[in-house]
Coordinates of all heavy atoms in Angstrom, one line a residue:
L1 N 98.9 108.9 102.8 CA 97.5 108.9 102.4 C 97.4 107.8 101.3 O 98.1 107.8 100.3 CB 97.2 110.3 101.8 CG 95.8 110.4 101.3 CD1 94.7 110.2 102.4 CD2 95.6 111.8 100.7
D2 N 96.5 106.9 101.5 CA 96.3 105.8 100.6 C 95.1 106.2 99.7 O 94.0 106.5 100.2 CB 96.0 104.5 101.4 CG 96.0 103.3 100.5 OD1 96.5 103.4 99.4 OD2 95.4 102.3 100.9
D3 N 95.3 106.2 98.4 CA 94.3 106.6 97.4 C 94.1 105.5 96.4 O 94.4 105.7 95.2 CB 94.7 107.9 96.8 CG 93.6 108.5 95.9 OD1 92.4 108.1 96.1 OD2 93.9 109.4 95.0
P4 N 93.5 104.3 96.8 CA 93.4 103.2 95.9 C 92.4 103.4 94.8 O 92.4 102.8 93.7 CB 93.0 102.0 96.8 CG 92.3 102.7 97.9 CD 93.0 104.0 98.1
D5 N 91.4 104.4 95.0 CA 90.4 104.6 94.0 C 90.7 105.9 93.1 O 89.9 106.3 92.3 CB 89.0 104.8 94.6 CG 88.6 103.6 95.4 OD1 88.9 102.5 94.9 OD2 88.1 103.7 96.5
D6 N 91.9 106.5 93.3 CA 92.3 107.7 92.6 C 91.3 108.9 92.7 O 91.0 109.6 91.8 CB 92.5 107.4 91.1 CG 93.1 108.5 90.4 OD1 94.0 109.2 90.9 OD2 92.8 108.7 89.2
V7 N 90.7 109.0 93.9 CA 89.7 110.1 94.2 C 90.4 111.4 94.6 O 90.0 112.4 94.2 CB 88.7 109.6 95.3 CG1 87.8 110.8 95.6 CG2 87.9 108.4 94.8
V8 N 91.4 111.3 95.4 CA 92.1 112.4 96.0 C 93.1 113.1 95.0 O 93.0 114.3 94.8 CB 92.8 112.1 97.3 CG1 93.6 113.3 97.8 CG2 91.9 111.5 98.3
F9 N 94.0 112.3 94.4 CA 95.0 112.9 93.6 C 94.7 113.1 92.1 O 95.2 114.0 91.5 CB 96.3 112.1 93.7 CG 96.8 112.0 95.1 CD1 97.0 110.7 95.7 CD2 97.1 113.1 95.9 CE1 97.4 110.6 97.0 CE2 97.5 113.0 97.2 CZ 97.7 111.7 97.7
G10 N 93.8 112.2 91.6 CA 93.4 112.3 90.2 C 94.5 112.1 89.2 O 94.5 112.6 88.1
S11 N 95.5 111.3 89.6 CA 96.7 111.1 88.7 C 96.4 109.9 87.8 O 97.3 109.7 86.9 CB 97.9 110.7 89.6 OG 97.7 109.5 90.3
G12 N 95.3 109.2 87.9 CA 95.1 108.0 87.1 C 95.8 106.8 87.6 O 95.7 105.7 86.9
L13 N 96.4 106.9 88.8 CA 97.1 105.7 89.3 C 96.6 105.4 90.7 O 96.1 106.3 91.4 CB 98.6 106.1 89.5 CG 99.3 106.5 88.2 CD1 100.7 107.0 88.5 CD2 99.5 105.3 87.3
M14 N 96.6 104.2 91.1 CA 96.3 103.8 92.5 C 97.6 103.9 93.2 O 98.6 103.2 93.0 CB 95.8 102.3 92.5 CG 94.5 102.2 91.8 SD 93.8 100.5 92.0 CE 95.1 99.5 91.4
E15 N 97.7 104.9 94.1 CA 99.0 105.2 94.8 C 98.8 105.5 96.2 O 97.7 105.8 96.7 CB 99.7 106.3 94.1 CG 99.0 107.6 94.1 CD 99.7 108.8 93.5 OE1 100.9 109.1 93.9 OE2 99.2 109.4 92.6
T16 N 99.9 105.4 96.9 CA 100.0 105.8 98.3 C 101.1 106.9 98.4 O 102.2 106.7 97.9 CB 100.4 104.6 99.3 OG1 99.4 103.6 99.1 CG2 100.4 105.1 100.7
R17 N 100.8 108.0 99.1 CA 101.7 109.1 99.2 C 102.0 109.4 100.7 O 101.2 109.2 101.6 CB 101.2 110.4 98.6 CG 101.2 110.4 97.1 CD 100.9 111.7 96.6 NE 100.7 111.7 95.1 CZ 100.5 112.7 94.4 NH1 100.6 113.9 94.9 NH2 100.3 112.6 93.1
T18 N 103.2 109.8 101.0 CA 103.7 110.1 102.3 C 104.4 111.5 102.2 O 104.9 111.9 101.2 CB 104.6 109.1 102.9 OG1 105.8 109.0 102.0 CG2 104.0 107.8 103.1
A19 N 104.4 112.2 103.4 CA 105.1 113.5 103.4 C 105.7 113.6 104.8 O 105.1 113.3 105.8 CB 104.1 114.6 103.2
V20 N 106.9 114.1 104.9 CA 107.6 114.3 106.1 C 108.2 115.7 106.1 O 108.8 116.1 105.1 CB 108.8 113.3 106.3 CG1 109.6 113.6 107.6 CG2 108.3 111.9 106.3
T21 N 107.9 116.5 107.1 CA 108.3 117.9 107.2 C 109.1 118.2 108.4 O 108.7 117.8 109.5 CB 107.1 118.8 107.1 OG1 106.3 118.6 106.0 CG2 107.5 120.3 107.1
L22 N 110.2 118.8 108.3 CA 111.0 119.3 109.4 C 111.1 120.8 109.4 O 111.5 121.3 108.3 CB 112.4 118.7 109.4 CG 113.4 119.1 110.4 CD1 112.9 118.6 111.8 CD2 114.8 118.6 110.1
A23 N 110.6 121.5 110.4 CA 110.5 122.9 110.4 C 111.0 123.6 111.7 O 110.1 124.0 112.5 CB 109.1 123.3 110.0
P24 N 112.3 123.7 111.9 CA 112.7 124.3 113.1 C 112.6 125.9 113.0 O 112.7 126.4 111.9 CB 114.2 123.9 113.2 CG 114.6 123.7 111.8 CD 113.4 123.2 111.1
T25 N 112.3 126.5 114.1 CA 112.3 128.0 114.2 C 113.5 128.4 115.1 O 113.8 127.8 116.1 CB 111.0 128.4 114.9 OG1 109.9 127.9 114.1 CG2 110.9 129.9 115.0
F26 N 114.1 129.5 114.6 CA 115.3 130.0 115.3 C 115.0 131.4 115.8 O 114.5 132.3 115.0 CB 116.5 130.1 114.4 CG 116.9 128.7 113.8 CD1 116.4 128.3 112.6 CD2 117.6 127.8 114.6 CE1 116.7 127.1 112.1 CE2 118.0 126.6 114.1 CZ 117.5 126.2 112.8
V27 N 115.3 131.7 117.0 CA 115.1 133.1 117.6 C 116.4 133.8 117.3 O 117.5 133.4 117.8 CB 114.8 133.1 119.1 CG1 114.7 134.5 119.6 CG2 113.5 132.3 119.3
L28 N 116.4 134.9 116.5 CA 117.6 135.6 116.1 C 117.8 136.8 117.0 O 118.9 137.3 117.0 CB 117.4 136.1 114.6 CG 117.2 134.9 113.6 CD1 117.0 135.5 112.2 CD2 118.4 133.9 113.6
G29 N 116.8 137.3 117.7 CA 117.0 138.5 118.5 C 115.6 138.8 119.1 O 114.6 138.1 118.9
D30 N 115.5 140.0 119.7 CA 114.3 140.5 120.2 C 113.2 140.7 119.2 O 113.3 141.6 118.3 CB 114.5 141.8 120.9 CG 114.2 141.8 122.4 OD1 113.8 140.7 122.9 OD2 114.2 142.9 123.0
G31 N 112.2 139.8 119.1 CA 111.1 139.9 118.2 C 111.4 139.3 116.8 O 110.6 139.3 115.9
M32 N 112.7 138.9 116.5 CA 113.0 138.4 115.2 C 113.2 136.9 115.2 O 114.0 136.3 116.0 CB 114.3 139.0 114.7 CG 114.8 138.6 113.4 SD 113.9 139.3 112.0 CE 114.8 140.7 111.7
D33 N 112.4 136.2 114.3 CA 112.5 134.8 114.2 C 112.7 134.4 112.8 O 112.4 135.1 111.9 CB 111.1 134.1 114.7 CG 110.8 134.3 116.1 OD1 111.8 134.5 116.9 OD2 109.6 134.3 116.5
A34 N 113.3 133.2 112.6 CA 113.5 132.6 111.3 C 113.0 131.2 111.3 O 113.1 130.5 112.3 CB 115.0 132.6 110.9
L35 N 112.4 130.8 110.2 CA 111.9 129.4 110.0 C 112.4 128.8 108.7 O 112.4 129.5 107.7 CB 110.3 129.5 109.9 CG 109.6 128.2 109.6 CD1 109.6 127.3 110.8 CD2 108.2 128.4 109.1
V36 N 113.0 127.6 108.9 CA 113.5 126.9 107.7 C 112.6 125.6 107.7 O 112.5 124.9 108.7 CB 115.0 126.5 107.9 CG1 115.4 125.7 106.7 CG2 115.8 127.8 108.0
E37 N 112.1 125.3 106.5 CA 111.2 124.1 106.3 C 111.8 123.2 105.3 O 112.1 123.7 104.2 CB 109.8 124.6 106.0 CG 108.9 123.4 105.9 CD 107.4 123.8 105.6 OE1 106.9 124.6 106.4 OE2 106.9 123.4 104.5
L38 N 111.9 122.0 105.6 CA 112.4 120.9 104.7 C 111.2 119.9 104.6 O 110.8 119.4 105.6 CB 113.7 120.3 105.1 CG 114.1 119.0 104.3 CD1 114.5 119.5 102.9 CD2 115.2 118.3 105.0
R39 N 110.7 119.7 103.4 CA 109.6 118.8 103.2 C 110.0 117.7 102.1 O 110.6 118.1 101.0 CB 108.4 119.5 102.7 CG 107.2 118.5 102.5 CD 106.0 119.3 102.1 NE 105.0 118.4 101.6 CZ 103.7 118.5 101.9 NH1 103.3 119.4 102.8 NH2 102.8 117.6 101.4
I40 N 109.8 116.5 102.4 CA 110.0 115.4 101.4 C 108.7 114.7 101.2 O 108.0 114.2 102.1 CB 111.1 114.4 102.0 CG1 112.4 115.1 102.3 CG2 111.3 113.2 101.0 CD1 113.4 114.3 103.0
D41 N 108.2 114.7 99.9 CA 107.0 114.0 99.5 C 107.4 112.7 98.8 O 108.3 112.8 97.9 CB 106.2 114.9 98.6 CG 105.6 116.1 99.4 OD1 104.8 115.9 100.3 OD2 106.0 117.2 99.0
G42 N 106.7 111.6 99.1 CA 107.0 110.4 98.4 C 105.7 109.7 97.9 O 104.7 110.0 98.4
S43 N 105.8 108.9 96.8 CA 104.7 108.2 96.3 C 105.1 106.8 95.9 O 106.3 106.5 95.6 CB 104.2 108.9 95.0 OG 103.1 108.2 94.4
S44 N 104.1 105.9 96.0 CA 104.4 104.5 95.5 C 104.5 104.4 94.0 O 105.0 103.4 93.5 CB 103.3 103.6 96.0 OG 102.0 104.0 95.5
E45 N 104.2 105.5 93.3 CA 104.3 105.6 91.8 C 105.2 106.8 91.5 O 105.4 107.7 92.3 CB 103.0 105.7 91.2 CG 102.0 104.6 91.5 CD 102.3 103.3 90.8 OE1 103.0 103.3 89.8 OE2 101.9 102.3 91.4
D46 N 105.8 106.8 90.3 CA 106.6 107.9 89.8 C 105.7 109.0 89.3 O 105.3 109.0 88.1 CB 107.6 107.5 88.7 CG 108.7 106.6 89.3 OD1 108.9 106.6 90.5 OD2 109.3 105.9 88.5
V47 N 105.3 109.9 90.2 CA 104.3 111.0 89.8 C 104.9 112.4 89.9 O 104.3 113.4 89.4 CB 103.1 110.9 90.7 CG1 102.3 109.7 90.4 CG2 103.4 111.1 92.2
F48 N 106.1 112.5 90.5 CA 106.8 113.8 90.6 C 107.8 114.0 89.5 O 108.5 113.1 89.1 CB 107.5 114.0 91.9 CG 106.5 113.8 93.1 CD1 106.6 112.6 93.9 CD2 105.6 114.7 93.5 CE1 105.7 112.4 94.9 CE2 104.8 114.6 94.6 CZ 104.8 113.4 95.3
L49 N 107.8 115.2 88.9 CA 108.8 115.5 87.8 C 110.0 116.2 88.4 O 109.9 117.2 89.1 CB 108.1 116.3 86.7 CG 106.9 115.7 86.0 CD1 106.3 116.6 85.0 CD2 107.3 114.3 85.4
D50 N 111.2 115.8 87.9 CA 112.4 116.6 88.3 C 112.6 117.7 87.3 O 111.8 118.0 86.4 CB 113.6 115.6 88.4 CG 114.0 115.0 87.1 OD1 113.5 115.4 86.0 OD2 114.9 114.1 87.1
S51 N 113.7 118.4 87.4 CA 114.0 119.6 86.5 C 114.2 119.2 85.1 O 114.0 120.1 84.2 CB 115.2 120.3 87.0 OG 116.4 119.5 87.0
D52 N 114.5 117.9 84.8 CA 114.6 117.5 83.4 C 113.3 116.9 82.8 O 113.2 116.5 81.7 CB 115.7 116.4 83.3 CG 117.0 116.9 83.7 OD1 117.3 118.1 83.4 OD2 117.8 116.1 84.2
G53 N 112.2 116.9 83.7 CA 110.9 116.4 83.2 C 110.8 114.9 83.4 O 109.8 114.3 82.9
D54 N 111.7 114.3 84.0 CA 111.7 112.8 84.3 C 110.9 112.5 85.5 O 111.0 113.2 86.5 CB 113.1 112.2 84.4 CG 113.9 112.4 83.2 OD1 113.4 112.3 82.1 OD2 115.2 112.6 83.3
A55 N 110.0 111.5 85.5 CA 109.2 111.1 86.6 C 110.0 110.5 87.7 O 110.9 109.7 87.5 CB 108.1 110.2 86.2
Q56 N 109.7 110.9 89.0 CA 110.4 110.4 90.1 C 109.4 109.9 91.2 O 108.3 110.4 91.2 CB 111.3 111.5 90.7 CG 112.3 112.1 89.8 CD 113.4 111.1 89.4 OE1 113.9 110.4 90.3 NE2 113.8 111.1 88.2
G57 N 109.8 109.1 92.1 CA 109.0 108.7 93.2 C 108.9 109.6 94.4 O 108.1 109.4 95.3
S58 N 109.8 110.6 94.4 CA 109.8 111.6 95.5 C 110.3 112.9 95.1 O 110.9 113.1 94.0 CB 110.7 111.1 96.7 OG 112.1 111.1 96.2
T59 N 110.0 113.9 95.9 CA 110.4 115.3 95.6 C 110.8 116.0 96.9 O 110.2 115.6 98.0 CB 109.4 116.1 94.8 OG1 109.9 117.3 94.5 CG2 108.1 116.3 95.6
T60 N 111.7 116.9 96.9 CA 112.1 117.6 98.1 C 111.9 119.1 97.9 O 112.2 119.6 96.8 CB 113.6 117.3 98.4 OG1 113.7 115.9 98.6 CG2 114.0 118.0 99.7
S61 N 111.4 119.8 98.9 CA 111.3 121.2 98.8 C 111.8 121.9 100.1 O 111.7 121.3 101.1 CB 109.8 121.6 98.5 OG 109.0 121.1 99.4
V62 N 112.2 123.2 99.9 CA 112.8 123.9 101.0 C 112.1 125.3 101.0 O 111.9 125.9 100.0 CB 114.3 124.1 100.9 CG1 114.8 124.9 102.1 CG2 115.0 122.7 100.9
A63 N 111.7 125.8 102.2 CA 111.2 127.1 102.3 C 111.9 127.9 103.5 O 112.4 127.2 104.4 CB 109.7 127.1 102.6
F64 N 112.0 129.2 103.4 CA 112.6 130.0 104.4 C 111.7 131.2 104.7 O 111.2 131.8 103.7 CB 114.0 130.4 104.0 CG 114.7 131.4 104.9 CD1 115.2 130.9 106.1 CD2 114.7 132.7 104.7 CE1 115.8 131.8 107.0 CE2 115.4 133.6 105.5 CZ 115.9 133.1 106.7
G65 N 111.5 131.5 105.9 CA 110.8 132.7 106.2 C 111.3 133.4 107.5 O 111.9 132.8 108.3
M66 N 111.1 134.7 107.6 CA 111.4 135.5 108.7 C 110.3 136.3 109.2 O 109.5 136.8 108.4 CB 112.6 136.4 108.4 CG 113.9 135.6 108.1 SD 115.3 136.7 107.8 CE 115.7 137.2 109.5
T67 N 110.1 136.5 110.5 CA 109.1 137.3 111.1 C 109.7 138.2 112.1 O 110.7 137.9 112.8 CB 108.0 136.5 111.8 OG1 108.5 135.7 112.8 CG2 107.3 135.6 110.8
Y68 N 109.1 139.4 112.2 CA 109.5 140.4 113.2 C 108.2 140.8 113.9 O 107.3 141.3 113.3 CB 110.2 141.6 112.6 CG 110.7 142.5 113.7 CD1 111.8 142.2 114.5 CD2 110.0 143.8 113.8 CE1 112.2 143.1 115.4 CE2 110.4 144.6 114.8 CZ 111.5 144.3 115.6 OH 111.9 145.2 116.6
T69 N 108.2 140.7 115.2 CA 107.1 141.1 116.0 C 107.5 142.3 116.9 O 108.5 142.3 117.5 CB 106.6 140.0 117.0 OG1 106.4 138.8 116.2 CG2 105.4 140.3 117.7
F70 N 106.7 143.4 116.8 CA 106.9 144.6 117.6 C 105.7 145.0 118.4 O 104.7 144.6 118.2 CB 107.5 145.7 116.7 CG 106.6 146.1 115.6 CD1 105.7 147.1 115.6 CD2 106.7 145.4 114.4 CE1 104.9 147.4 114.5 CE2 106.0 145.7 113.3 CZ 105.0 146.7 113.4

């Protein structure tokens, strides 16, 4: 997403952001599924903070979920 006018993000910077998500679903048994999601967000500027509070150009997040259908 290209935001040259800073309308979308409101970060005060003219930046371009990208996101890539990988989300495979696994069938564990009858009616039981698991989903693991890996997402990587990147920016042309250092707008993401790491655990130390330092600005970075990208961030990674992971999510896990399970569903049971009966």
